[in-house]
């Protein structure tokens, strides 16, 4: 509520006005800030039809900071003229004054002063007239008094060009009496109390009208899990964005039944063993005793790169190589310590593109496009190490809730010693990336703790079996 005294003063001004008055004029006449009058207008409007206030826009001229200084002390050229004694002043000394450079130029144009370049003591400035009229200051004083209409448009434009005046747009109210106008303010009641009903005092009270258009309190209700939000859900959204060809599955903790796998392409197995133990295809290998017993152990997958390796091997067995794009969306399992950004079980998206002439720039471009379509635009890339890619990059995105950069994926270019043993042609490059489905979802929807994502069970089986996706992990051969 505005100051009661100011509200009553405004009402008296409206009462005396013939046909209405402008809030800006009221502020000027009362010597108060215009916003204080605006506050009083809004307070009166809240009381009903006490006044009628129509908002208007008007333009007027105001002095800039430099204009106010000139209105007080005189124009630069007038101050230069006043600083020069009868015997003149060295030009260098005059230019050291704060107003010297601008004032000298203007005073010369007005022919108030002259410069004697051949003076024996060096260039010297002399007056050429006895008295001057500081018209610039006089015009600014006229504007300062609110009488800018007395100046011609050309004069105002010249002052504006010198940055001494500025034209501003002012919003004000045209105030007139309302149907319930009164100079006495009666506070309106906001609620009908039992006491008013019992005493009958409500009959003499004025009540504030109900706003039937106001929004009520939002009721508590259910909502979609962030992983299932539109468009459709993240799994389908990722599928649509990537426009790739395949999906597969692989899995992280050791299994006891069956504990081992037995079906391997033996020639490929031998090439892998040789690269690890002895090197080859440009690599010196790891120089360790590679054992089939270790490779046979079944585990729950820690990442989906094994799926990519399986699909690339299948690609290499084809008669003729053709460029491909593959992706998988599957669960992975890791023996992680749970915190705000880590779970022991989560969903991983992996994508690979195989073709001739691909570069790290192609990989970065795909990642930018992919995350942008997910609604994530703040990305950073950091060099990293992966045993099967070189170069390798970690992908980070800024989390507004956690106020920090969060890793959302890993990426790189598969090493030749991984691809060539499969049988892929020399010169084929494979770029690859993998990311958690949960972390981009956290960033997009501002979730601060990944455990909030698992507050409700998400039926991803429904997603896999949907007519759009038609992905059933139970029917996977991998």
């Amino acid at each position: 509520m505005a100051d009661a005294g100011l509200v009553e003063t405004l009402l008296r001004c409206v009462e005396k006005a013939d046909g209405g008055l402008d809030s800006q004029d009221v502020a000027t006449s009362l010597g108060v800030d215009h916003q204080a009058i605006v506050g009083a207008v809004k307070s009166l409007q809240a009381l009903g039809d006490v006044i009628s206030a129509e908002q208007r826009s008007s333009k007027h001229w105001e002095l800039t900071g430099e204009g106010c200084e000139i209105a007080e002390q005189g124009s630069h050229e007038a101050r230069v003229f006043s600083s020069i004694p009868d015997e003149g002043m060295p030009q260098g000394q005059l230019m050291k004054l704060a107003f010297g450079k601008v004032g000298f130029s203007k005073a010369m144009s007005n022919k108030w002063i002259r410069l004697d370049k051949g003076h024996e003591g060096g260039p010297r400035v002399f007056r050429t007239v006895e008295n001057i009229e500081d018209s610039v200051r006089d015009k600014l004083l006229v504007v300062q008094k609110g009488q800018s209409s007395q100046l011609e448009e050309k004069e105002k434009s010249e002052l504006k060009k010198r940055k001494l005046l500025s034209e501003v747009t002012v919003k004000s109210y045209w105030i007139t009496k309302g149907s319930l106008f009164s100079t006495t303010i009666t506070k309106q009641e906001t609620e009908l109390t039992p006491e008013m009903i019992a005493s009958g005092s409500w009959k003499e009270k004025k009540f504030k009208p109900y706003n039937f258009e106001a929004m009520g309190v939002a009721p508590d209700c259910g909502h979609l899990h962030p992983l299932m939000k539109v468009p459709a859900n993240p799994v389908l959204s990722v599928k649509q964005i990537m426009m790739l060809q395949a999906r597969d599955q692989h899995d992280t903790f050791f299994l006891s039944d069956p504990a081992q796998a037995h079906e391997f392409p033996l020639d490929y197995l031998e090439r892998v063993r040789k690269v690890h133990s002895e090197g080859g295809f440009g690599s010196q290998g790891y120089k360790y005793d590679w054992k089939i017993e270790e490779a046979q152990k079944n585990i729950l997958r820690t990442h989906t790169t094994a799926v990519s390796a399986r699909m690339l091997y299948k690609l290499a067995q084809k008669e003729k190589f053709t460029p491909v794009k593959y992706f998988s969306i599957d669960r992975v399992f890791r023996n992680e310590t749970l915190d705000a950004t880590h779970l022991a079980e989560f969903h991983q998206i992996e994508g690979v593109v195989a073709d001739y002439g691909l570069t790290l720039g192609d990989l970065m471009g795909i990642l930018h496009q992919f995350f942008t379509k997910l609604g994530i635009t703040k990305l950073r890339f950091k060099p990293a190490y992966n045993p099967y890619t070189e170069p390798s990059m970690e992908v980070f995105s800024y989390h507004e809730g956690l106020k920090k950069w969060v890793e959302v994926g890993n990426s790189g270019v598969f090493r030749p010693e991984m691809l060539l043993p499969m049988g892929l042609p020399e010169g084929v490059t494979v770029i690859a990336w993998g990311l958690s489905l949960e972390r981009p979802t956290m960033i997009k929807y501002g979730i601060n703790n990944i455990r909030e994502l698992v507050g409700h069970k998400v039926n991803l089986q429904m997603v896999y079996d949907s007519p759009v996706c038609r992905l059933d992990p139970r029917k996977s051969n991998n």
Side-chain angles (χ1 to χ4, degrees), residues 223-230 233-234 441-442 444-445 447 452-454 456 458:
H223 60 277
L224 285 174
H225 189 284
L227 285 179
M228 302 296 289
K229 282 190 176 179
V230 174
N233 58 64
T441 305
M442 287 175 64
K444 181 174 180 180
Y445 294 109
I447 297 172
E452 295 177 31
L453 283 174
V454 293
H456 301 281
V458 180

Side-chain angles (χ1 to χ4, degrees), residues 320-334:
K320 183 180 179 182
F321 170 80
T322 54
V324 297
K325 298 176 181 179
Y326 294 140
F327 79 95
S328 65
I329 307 172
D330 278 303
R331 287 186 180 178
V332 295
F333 306 83
R334 294 183 185 175

Side-chain angles (χ1 to χ4, degrees), residues 51 76 96 101 105 152 157 196 223 225 322 379 431:
I51 61 168
H76 297 311
K96 291 180 182 179
K101 290 183 179 179
S105 174
E152 294 181 4
S157 296
M196 291 179 188
H223 60 277
H225 189 284
T322 54
L379 290 182
I431 56 177

Side-chain angles (χ1 to χ4, degrees), residues 58-73:
S58 61
K59 291 185 178 181
H60 74 276
W61 293 90
E62 283 186 357
L63 273 60
T64 63
E66 188 177 358
C68 291
E69 179 188 330
I70 289 178
E72 182 181 346
Q73 301 178 17

